[in-house]
Amino acid sequence: MAHFAQLNEQNIVTQVIVVANEELLDNGTESEAKGIAFCQSLLGGNWKQTSYNGKIRKNYAGIGCTYDSQRDAFIAPQPYPSWTLVEETCQWVSPVAMPTDKKMYNWDEATLSWVEIV
């Protein structure tokens, strides 16, 4: 099964659908173009293939993610203003690493720190 993300005019993901592998085959080889054509025939619009394992476009496309054509990647919305995007992964990271002591934490943007959930 393959997954395809529909994009709006701002390249924001509005839905993700599953397409049977048979719909992607072009002379026995999977083709993203065939999958896109299939999606367009069903629902119209602009589509890009995505994958759970991140082998296509760095990250799985969730609703609300943005497709960045320069990076050929799906990028989640920035969770906090202080977080920065890692170019290699197109994932957001906090300015301070989360503690690894197996406790649960929430990010506190006001103090730029992790606060233990008690």
Side-chain angles (χ1 to χ4, degrees):
M1 304 307 272
H3 297 83
F4 285 82
Q6 187 174 36
L7 309 174
N8 68 13
E9 298 79 27
Q10 292 80 35
N11 280 344
I12 297 173
V13 177
T14 58
Q15 68 175 320
V16 179
I17 64 171
V18 178
V19 176
N21 290 341
E22 304 85 62
E23 301 298 337
L24 307 177
L25 295 179
D26 185 13
N27 295 322
T29 304
E30 285 189 10
S31 164
E32 179 180 11
K34 292 261 309 187
I36 289 170
F38 177 77
C39 293
Q40 289 173 332
S41 72
L42 289 176
L43 301 166
N46 185 20
W47 295 85
K48 293 287 180 189
Q49 190 170 3
T50 187
S51 71
Y52 277 115
N53 61 18
K55 290 186 178 181
I56 301 172
R57 302 199 166 86
K58 298 186 181 180
N59 300 298
Y60 182 74
I63 294 173
C65 290
T66 300
Y67 172 68
D68 184 318
S69 60
Q70 296 294 319
R71 295 177 175 103
D72 191 28
F74 289 106
I75 302 173
Q78 186 177 14
Y80 299 97
S82 66
W83 290 34
T84 57
L85 188 69
V86 177
E87 286 295 326
E88 299 80 38
T89 62
C90 286
Q91 294 182 359
W92 298 101
V93 294
S94 60
V96 176
M98 186 169 70
T100 57
D101 57 9
K102 302 195 191 272
K103 296 178 183 177
M104 295 183 63
Y105 292 87
N106 278 330
W107 178 253
D108 182 8
E109 185 69 8
T111 62
L112 299 178
S113 64
W114 292 98
V115 177
E116 183 180 352
I117 299 171
V118 287

